[in-house]
């Protein structure tokens, strides 16, 4: 029960940044192709990080590697959200400001590495606790639960962001006599959800620390099906 709850709730805090940041960047005029190329550039960094940290992840307590990467992921998600929010709207063809490359890119790389580390370490933990009598079925069940825990918060965030946002628009005329619609956004749902996600991640980490430490010291025998456990 505790493991199921952990997997279903651990990604709620990072959901606003992971599901809304790319949409917010497109809204501000960042080219979609550029974002795709940027994501591809992260792949070698993620692979290198996995190789360098593989010995630590493959130890006797992979779940602790996952937990230690949690605050890095949470902090980087909060910073990514703040950087995206502060990014000015771009005109067509306008380049990203230097602040994005100096501050935003390192934070995005840190977030990518943390997410990769969490994914690899939780898979290592699933391998550790899966009952060999059931082959890959047991591991598939855990992986499915983990995927569900990562997807449902994104759906919730996408539903909430418009309901939380408050936008006021006024229509006027330009000097050339053309109609012009100007909108102000005094309450941005993106900012609210990013802030709530940061608070949630902190509270979750404090509340679940002891439970994760208990999972870390559990043996593979503790995860065997009760009726066929070894005596």
């Amino acid at each position: 029960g505790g493991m199921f709850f952990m997997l279903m709730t651990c990604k709620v805090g990072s959901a606003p940044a992971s599901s809304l940041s790319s949409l917010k960047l497109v809204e501000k005029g960042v080219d979609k192709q550029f974002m795709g190329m940027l994501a591809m550039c992260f792949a070698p960094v993620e692979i290198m990080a996995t190789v360098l940290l593989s010995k630590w992840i493959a130890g006797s307590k992979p779940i602790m590697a996952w937990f230690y990467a949690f605050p890095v992921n949470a902090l980087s998600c909060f910073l990514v959200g703040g950087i995206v929010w502060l990014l000015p709207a771009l005109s067509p063809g306008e380049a990203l400001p230097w602040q994005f490359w100096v501050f935003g890119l390192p934070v995005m790389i840190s977030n990518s590495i943390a997410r990769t580390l969490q994914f690899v370490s939780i898979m290592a933990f699933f391998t550790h606790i899966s009952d060999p009598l059931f082959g890959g079925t047991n591991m598939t069940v855990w992986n499915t639960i983990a995927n569900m825990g990562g997807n449902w918060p994104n759906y919730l965030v996408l539903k909430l962001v418009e309901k939380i946002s408050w936008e006021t628009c006024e229509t006027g005329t330009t000097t050339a006599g053309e109609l012009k619609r100007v909108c102000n956004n005094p309450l941005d749902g993106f900012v609210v959800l990013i802030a709530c996600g940061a608070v949630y991640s902190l509270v979750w980490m404090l509340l679940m620390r002891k439970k994760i430490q208990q999972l870390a010291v559990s043996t593979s025998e503790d995860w065997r099906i009760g009726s066929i456990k070894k005596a």
Side-chain angles (χ1 to χ4, degrees):
M3 181 72 169
F4 178 82
F5 178 80
M6 184 199 82
L7 294 175
M8 291 297 291
T9 58
C10 63
K11 294 185 178 180
V12 174
S14 60
S18 62
S19 60
L20 297 177
S21 292
S22 58
L23 297 176
K24 198 70 175 178
L25 285 172
V26 172
E27 180 184 312
K28 293 201 171 189
V30 179
D31 186 62
K32 293 181 181 179
Q33 292 183 346
F34 169 79
M35 292 173 58
M37 290 178 61
L38 195 63
M40 289 178 60
C41 293
F42 289 163
V45 178
E46 295 172 356
I47 294 172
M48 187 180 300
T50 302
V51 172
L52 293 175
L53 298 171
S54 58
K55 290 185 178 180
W56 181 43
I57 295 172
S60 58
K61 299 179 180 180
I63 190 68
M64 291 309 298
W66 179 90
F67 184 69
Y68 291 143
F70 187 89
V72 179
N73 184 28
L75 178 60
S76 58
C77 280
F78 176 71
L79 293 176
V80 165
I83 291 168
V84 170
W85 178 58
L86 293 172
L87 185 72
L90 304 176
S91 303
E94 183 181 357
L96 286 164
W98 64 268
Q99 291 91 339
F100 174 84
W101 300 104
V102 174
F103 301 108
L105 189 60
V107 171
M108 294 174 71
I109 292 175
S110 299
N111 177 255
S112 179
I113 292 175
R115 286 189 289 108
T116 301
L117 175 58
Q118 284 196 297
F119 174 78
V120 175
S121 56
I122 200 67
M123 290 298 108
F125 182 67
F126 291 160
T127 302
H128 174 67
I129 66 175
S130 293
D131 193 331
L133 292 177
F134 292 89
T137 304
N138 201 188
M139 185 171 179
T140 300
V141 171
W142 287 121
N143 192 33
T144 301
I145 296 173
N147 289 335
M148 289 172 57
N151 289 329
W152 78 264
N154 294 334
Y155 174 80
L156 179 64
V157 164
L158 292 171
K159 283 289 185 180
L160 286 176
V161 65
E162 290 188 3
K163 296 182 182 297
I164 297 174
S165 298
W166 176 30
E167 187 177 67
T168 58
C169 297
E170 295 180 357
T171 303
T173 56
T174 64
T175 54
E178 298 177 349
L179 289 176
K180 184 179 181 181
R181 193 165 185 256
V182 179
C183 295
N184 295 316
N185 198 354
L187 182 63
D188 192 340
F190 174 76
V191 178
V192 175
L193 291 174
I194 289 290
C196 290
V199 174
Y200 176 93
S201 295
L202 177 61
V203 173
W204 189 95
M205 187 170 56
L206 294 174
L207 293 178
M208 296 299 293
R209 182 181 180 86
K210 288 186 178 180
K211 180 60 182 179
I212 293 173
Q213 288 175 336
Q214 292 174 1
L215 293 174
V217 298
S218 63
T219 64
S220 57
E221 291 295 325
D222 296 330
W223 295 90
R224 298 293 182 263
I225 303 301
S227 60
I228 56 176
K229 270 188 177 180
K230 293 182 179 179

